[in-house]
Amino acid sequence: MKEALMMQGARTIMDNCVSLKAGETVLIVTDMVQEKIAKVLACAAVERGAEVVVSVMKPRKRAGEEPPKLIAESMKHADVVLIPVSYSVTHTFAVKEAAEHGARLLVLTDFTEDMLISGGIEADFRALKPICKSVADAFAKSSRVRVTTPGGTDLTLDITGRRGNALYCVVEPGEFSTIPTVEANSSPVEGSANGRIVADASIPYLGIGVLDEPVVAEVREGFITKISGGRQAEMLKRDLASHNDHNCYNIAELGVGLNPQCRLCGIMLEDEGVIPTAHIGIGTSITLGGTVKAPTHYDLLMWNPKIEVDGKVIIDGGKVCL
């Protein structure tokens, strides 16, 4: 019977997020862990007269790993691609190329059944669109960014010529978004980031989740050079080192959460939308406007950010100053 409650969120996705029309082709890319979420989405799509295909793969081994080539090729030919998976495939060539072919993509990484019922999914995404776009536009028009927090973050970035990405869970042809996070983000120029990141909210990957104590990362010329902290910092350090790829330490993204319905719970797409948080993404940046492809993409979340662009404050804690 829980599926009846989950259908509420699935209908929101079909009607509000992807504006599904009868006769359109929907490809649902899932894995063997998330099939129940995929089933509910498929039911909602069939209910609206769509042609639905469900592709099930083995769970990826890590965030950022490409899906099988057969699935990646299919994604290019769908009107709508929905991706409920255990490990994120957001920052992959498969998603980038499907968007370039005109698909409307929505990513549901590590979704739980409850996330289709309550929390961030209950937000009025279209009402949040102008707020999200205003922050993204401010990024796009700016050059120098400084991020500070009461916890100790002090990071400067150059975003000259980089686009601002507005992810508000509503997609047009050629666009992708995550859900239920609402966020504006940008990818800094490679090699430009310097300072310190103090993550004190969440690192929703690798079983780390909500942070017990801060994870501190020193940044020089675009890369993390040192990570310190307690048990959770060691988990992050070990994983990054295991890939033996310097690009895993690349400063790939600055994002700010803008969904008033999201709550911090240790699940990536819920945590990243929380107000008042910001996150620094590390690793792959190709889907955000950067040029780096790494084996991973992780986000380090922090509370109460102040974000200045070209000397003007645009985010002050939970307040958008635009």
Side-chain angles (χ1 to χ4, degrees):
M1 293 298 292
K2 193 172 185 178
E3 286 91 339
L5 297 175
M6 293 165 64
M7 281 294 288
Q8 297 175 86
R11 291 182 179 122
T12 293
I13 288 170
M14 301 305 162
D15 297 337
N16 298 339
C17 300
V18 301
S19 301
L20 185 63
K21 303 175 184 65
E24 289 193 303
T25 301
V26 177
L27 175 63
I28 300 175
V29 178
T30 191
D31 59 38
M32 297 164 183
V33 177
Q34 296 290 77
E35 287 185 79
K36 190 169 184 180
I37 303 290
K39 178 183 176 181
V40 172
L41 294 172
C43 289
V46 168
E47 191 177 69
R48 280 145 185 75
E51 184 70 42
V52 181
V53 176
V54 180
S55 293
V56 183
M57 61 184 178
K58 290 193 299 183
R60 304 293 85 187
K61 296 178 181 178
R62 61 178 183 271
E65 184 179 356
E66 296 286 335
K69 290 183 179 179
L70 181 62
I71 290 178
E73 187 63 30
S74 299
M75 289 166 64
K76 299 177 186 178
H77 302 283
D79 297 306
V80 173
V81 182
L82 304 175
I83 313 177
V85 289
S86 304
Y87 288 95
S88 173
V89 297
T90 306
H91 303 283
T92 60
F93 287 114
V95 167
K96 184 174 185 288
E97 291 171 5
E100 289 170 352
H101 279 75
R104 312 194 298 277
L105 298 103
L106 207 62
V107 181
L108 301 87
T109 300
D110 198 24
F111 242 63
T112 66
E113 295 173 13
D114 289 341
M115 286 173 66
L116 276 179
I117 299 172
S118 62
I121 195 74
E122 298 177 288
D124 185 341
F125 297 124
R126 293 189 181 275
L128 292 171
K129 175 181 176 179
I131 300 169
C132 188
K133 285 185 67 68
S134 70
V135 178
D137 289 346
F139 286 151
K141 295 173 182 175
S142 303
S143 298
R144 301 295 297 177
V145 179
R146 185 183 181 194
V147 185
T148 56
T149 68
T153 294
D154 193 342
L155 189 70
T156 58
L157 314 159
D158 183 355
I159 56 172
T160 304
R162 291 296 167 91
R163 69 180 191 243
N165 303 298
L167 305 182
Y168 47 87
C169 308
V170 178
V171 286
E172 303 295 336
E175 295 179 348
F176 82 89
S177 181
T178 46
I179 186 172
T181 178
V182 173
E183 68 175 85
N185 64 51
S186 189
S187 183
V189 175
E190 290 72 23
S192 70
N194 286 283
R196 171 179 290 184
I197 301 165
V198 181
D200 56 4
S202 166
I203 300 178
Y205 305 83
L206 307 171
I208 298 174
V210 177
L211 292 171
D212 299 327
E213 57 184 307
V215 174
V216 180
E218 304 294 340
V219 179
R220 295 291 180 271
E221 297 181 349
F223 290 90
I224 290 175
T225 58
K226 180 182 178 182
I227 296 173
S228 59
R231 173 185 59 87
Q232 292 164 312
E234 289 301 316
M235 293 170 68
L236 179 62
K237 284 174 64 176
R238 284 196 302 270
D239 182 85
L240 292 174
S242 73
H243 299 291
N244 196 31
D245 188 327
H246 188 53
N247 283 337
C248 290
Y249 300 90
N250 173 59
I251 302 301
E253 173 193 8
L254 165 63
V256 57
L258 296 167
N259 186 339
Q261 299 298 323
C262 282
R263 74 279 191 203
L264 200 76
C265 61
I267 297 175
M268 175 184 64
L269 293 183
E270 193 81 28
D271 286 9
E272 291 182 352
V274 170
I275 300 172
T277 68
H279 55 271
I280 300 298
I282 61 174
T284 293
S285 63
I286 58 167
T287 54
L288 303 170
T291 63
V292 173
K293 181 67 173 78
T296 58
H297 179 99
Y298 301 143
D299 295 291
L300 284 57
L301 278 75
M302 59 208 70
W303 287 114
N304 297 306
K306 178 184 283 187
I307 301 177
E308 302 170 62
V309 295
D310 294 338
K312 178 183 178 182
V313 176
I314 63 167
I315 300 291
D316 192 356
K319 183 179 179 182
V320 178
C321 306
L322 292 170

